[in-house]
Amino acid sequence: MITRDKKGNPILEAEARIPYELALGPTVHRFFEGFKQRKILGTRCHACGRVLVPARSFCPRCFVDMNEWVEVSQEGRVLSWAVTNYEYFGMPTKPPFIQSLILLGGTDCGFMHLIGGVDLSDVDRVGRIVKTGMTVRAVWRESRTGCIMDIQHFAPVD
Amino acid sequence: MARAVAVVGVGQTRYGNRSEMTYPDLVREGVQAAFADAGLGPEDVDGVVFGTMPSMMEGVAMTHFYFADALRAVGKPLMKTETCGTTGMSLAITGYYWVASGMADVVLVVGSEKMHEGDSQATMSTVAEPFFFRPFTSGAPGIFSMLAQMWMDRHGIPEDKARDAAARVSVDHHRDALDNPYAHIKKAVTMEEVKGAPVIVYPSRLWDICPNSDGACAVIFACEEKVKKMSGKPAWVKGIGFCGDEYWFGDSDKVSWDGARETARQAYEMAGIRDPLKELDVAEIYNPFTYVELQHYECFGFCEAGTAPDRVLDGTFSRGGELPCDPSGGVLCSNPIGATALVRVAEAALQVTGRAGERQVEGARLALSHGLGGVAQFNGIMILGAEQ
Ligand SMILES: [Zn+2]
């Protein structure tokens, strides 16, 4: 449909919406099957010894298969965080939310998820509650389907 | 041995909301400007390199097909290069390789974006896969705000001090952009306005963040033999560097940021630069966010790790300082993403040839241009000089 934009210029309104079927493969599938049982699983590289989460099929540095599975801690240290306070089209998580990189106990990389259970009514005050270096713990949803949002968020541990 | 290569012409469109014209016409505007600047025509060009951010930014895939006529690429080899925000630098380096290798004598390099036609951050969120990352991304502001938090924490930089330095970067660049006829955002801001602006992704506020811009940039690279037959001043490619990081955002350390440091090391080694702060006259850092510009000062050896806020606040990187950075106003004031890093190259070329107008850094002979992209994954540098 031809309409006008905010400058008054003629524009064609168009949309591209395409369905996809993205394969999980055995490693991602097993990782998410662990989520159904409230377990966070990583894989260990036999070459460099690192434990990575989410579980990987191969070590990005050593390029060898990673098929030793380990259950890692549900608690971790906050490596970084930021508070999103704006929205774009189709945004999967509604703002405001706190995204965070978390170093889970027994792992050697940051794990990306949300920090929740924090008052977000004033984004300027979040920095007084959430701190880099603080400990957070996974909060699971009651109903789990085997996806990344089976963990509702990570909550600060007193 | 690589042949000597120079930038012999640059073309920029005015950046901003360009909804008065179609996307191919906008690309043509940049291409025409570069031909006029170089005094060359399509018949002189051996090949064309083109790129954008993810094509779906404007809802049309494979845009080098859509723009074949606007690029005057018909009947010539046409190559597309795409590395997110780094695209413009990857384009320049691709053009450089093509000429340096002897496979072409003159190459037209073009980058473009028309961000007002789509939803930029919705497009960028598709750069993150949907299994593990996409639910937590908030486009580029989220990633770079996380980097800022890690950087402050690692170096023990008080949040207020980092906040002041980032605000100073914003104030400087918004003032610089007033001298750039192509710049999108032409509004002087004060420290108080920057620090009190609405939070977009904490700790980044409105004036810490680049705009969505429409625009195109074209740069023409030529071999020494061709340069010698031309009348204009060349900007010689003195050094290049490019380094990609690991895919998984949490796997590598983005504070020490080995990839960014390695990129600079490569470029400095090729250009024979030992002390960048003293030897470089100007730098165009890819600075879509104020905080990440501070990190790059450190990664590129302009100052010691953790000291960027001090050096910013003492004016080292301001106009008139020891190493002026982004006198064009930088990405912070104009960001047509597929063109943006190529704009850094174009601005560096203008600086070392003394043609940067009101934003000219007096006597500039050696300039660094930078591109950054992916999920803070790619860094690229091209150093241009007045002398071969
Ligand atoms: Zn390994």
Side-chain angles (χ1 to χ4, degrees):
Chain A
M1 186 170 76
I2 308 291
T3 58
R4 299 265 172 181
D5 72 358
K6 64 184 178 192
K7 290 178 77 182
N9 290 317
I11 52 163
L12 172 67
E13 286 188 24
E15 189 174 88
R17 196 182 283 257
I18 303 165
Y20 296 93
E21 294 181 349
L22 307 179
L24 266 66
T27 306
V28 175
H29 188 234
R30 183 165 169 186
F31 176 77
F32 283 140
E33 287 297 305
F35 268 31
K36 286 184 183 169
Q37 295 153 39
R38 301 180 191 244
K39 287 180 179 173
I40 305 175
L41 302 175
T43 45
R44 188 192 315 274
C45 172
H46 65 78
C48 67
R50 292 186 306 157
V51 173
L52 302 179
V53 280
R56 315 288 170 84
S57 57
F58 67 93
C59 175
R61 294 189 189 161
C62 308
F63 211 57
V64 296
D65 290 349
M66 287 179 88
N67 38 31
E68 183 191 339
W69 287 77
V70 288
E71 184 181 351
V72 307
S73 176
Q74 313 236 337
E75 275 187 17
R77 181 162 58 84
V78 172
L79 298 174
S80 189
W81 58 277
V83 190
T84 293
N85 194 37
Y86 80 108
E87 188 165 2
Y88 53 74
F89 176 85
M91 199 166 192
T93 306
K94 293 301 160 201
F97 63 84
I98 307 170
Q99 70 262 59
S100 180
L101 204 54
I102 301 159
L103 181 66
L104 295 172
T107 74
D108 298 285
C109 65
F111 180 72
M112 184 92 93
H113 216 286
L114 304 173
I115 292 178
V118 174
D119 178 14
L120 290 172
S121 56
D122 179 357
V123 288
D124 274 310
R125 294 182 64 86
V126 175
R128 297 182 199 169
I129 306 161
V130 178
K131 304 280 183 198
T132 303
M134 77 190 295
T135 302
V136 292
R137 183 177 180 83
V139 175
W140 295 92
R141 288 182 196 278
E142 282 307 312
S143 161
R144 294 178 301 282
T145 60
C147 73
I148 194 67
M149 296 316 293
D150 283 353
I151 296 177
Q152 189 171 334
H153 55 247
F154 283 76
V157 174
D158 296 326
Chain B
M1 182 63 195
R3 299 198 298 175
V5 179
V7 171
V8 295
V10 303
Q12 299 187 58
T13 67
R14 186 171 49 75
Y15 307 119
N17 184 337
R18 300 297 305 274
S19 67
E20 76 278 13
M21 61 170 65
T22 65
Y23 196 178
D25 284 339
L26 184 66
V27 171
R28 178 169 177 259
E29 184 181 315
V31 169
Q32 276 185 310
F35 280 139
D37 189 52
L40 295 175
E43 64 282 3
D44 300 308
V45 170
D46 300 319
V48 180
V49 184
F50 174 74
T52 62
M53 244 299 260
S55 296
M56 294 314 286
M57 187 75 77
E58 295 86 7
V60 180
M62 301 283 282
T63 39
H64 53 321
F65 171 68
Y66 185 25
F67 302 152
D69 302 328
L71 293 165
R72 290 306 300 263
V74 177
K76 301 181 195 299
L78 170 59
M79 189 186 290
K80 184 166 191 185
T81 302
E82 194 174 274
T83 54
C84 285
T86 339
T87 291
M89 188 56 65
S90 295
L91 295 172
I93 289 175
T94 305
Y96 167 81
Y97 285 156
W98 213 340
V99 178
S101 70
M103 294 299 290
D105 288 342
V106 178
V107 170
L108 171 67
V109 171
V110 185
S112 68
E113 214 68 69
K114 213 163 188 294
M115 295 174 69
H116 286 91
E117 297 197 347
D119 184 323
S120 63
Q121 299 311 318
T123 305
M124 279 190 220
S125 75
T126 66
V127 173
E129 47 71 18
F131 298 109
F132 302 113
F133 282 160
R134 198 175 298 169
F136 315 123
T137 62
S138 50
I143 292 297
F144 289 104
S145 294
M146 298 243 284
L147 257 62
Q149 298 276 36
M150 285 190 275
W151 168 74
M152 286 187 272
D153 180 62
R154 179 76 54 83
H155 297 307
I157 301 167
E159 190 173 349
D160 288 351
K161 186 177 186 178
R163 177 61 277 179
D164 277 352
R168 173 69 185 271
V169 165
S170 177
V171 168
D172 280 359
H173 292 330
H174 282 91
R175 191 188 56 227
D176 292 338
L178 300 175
D179 288 336
N180 180 355
Y182 306 110
H184 178 181
I185 303 298
K186 296 234 185 194
K187 180 193 183 318
V189 294
T190 64
M191 293 287 283
E192 289 63 39
E193 281 176 299
V194 178
K195 292 198 280 184
V199 168
I200 306 298
V201 177
Y202 189 89
S204 302
R205 295 168 186 275
L206 183 65
W207 300 110
D208 290 308
I209 294 182
C210 58
N212 289 317
S213 310
D214 304 342
C217 178
V219 173
I220 300 174
F221 289 88
C223 66
E224 184 177 0
E225 188 189 340
K226 294 283 182 186
V227 171
K228 299 264 151 91
K229 290 179 187 160
M230 297 172 67
S231 57
K233 279 190 199 166
W236 295 98
V237 179
K238 307 296 290 183
I240 57 169
F242 195 99
C243 192
D245 292 357
E246 293 171 297
Y247 167 68
W248 291 85
F249 182 66
D251 280 12
S252 47
D253 185 339
K254 299 284 187 186
V255 179
S256 69
W257 211 345
D258 295 343
R261 288 175 188 276
E262 169 61 16
T263 303
R265 192 200 62 74
Q266 291 171 10
Y268 294 158
E269 182 176 289
M270 185 171 162
I273 292 172
R274 285 161 179 247
D275 184 346
L277 182 66
K278 289 206 161 52
E279 294 175 57
L280 292 169
D281 299 309
V282 58
E284 281 282 336
I285 304 295
Y286 195 98
N287 57 350
F289 303 92
T290 51
Y291 288 95
V292 79
E293 181 169 351
L294 300 171
Q295 276 189 274
H296 277 106
Y297 292 158
E298 298 176 2
C299 292
F300 294 168
F302 298 174
C303 61
E304 293 296 318
T307 67
D310 294 307
R311 296 289 79 78
V312 164
L313 293 169
D314 73 15
T316 299
F317 305 116
S318 304
R319 296 274 288 279
E322 189 168 3
L323 176 53
C325 289
D326 296 86
S328 64
V331 186
L332 203 59
C333 297
S334 311
N335 191 18
I337 302 184
T340 301
L342 192 60
V343 174
R344 312 277 68 77
V345 176
E347 286 290 325
L350 292 172
Q351 287 287 349
V352 301
T353 53
R355 302 189 299 133
E358 293 291 310
R359 59 199 186 284
Q360 179 69 44
V361 173
E362 202 178 331
R365 310 285 290 168
L366 196 61
L368 179 147
S369 58
H370 168 225
L372 165 66
V375 183
Q377 194 172 10
F378 304 118
N379 276 277
I381 284 176
M382 178 172 279
I383 295 170
L384 296 176
E387 276 118 52
Q388 191 178 340

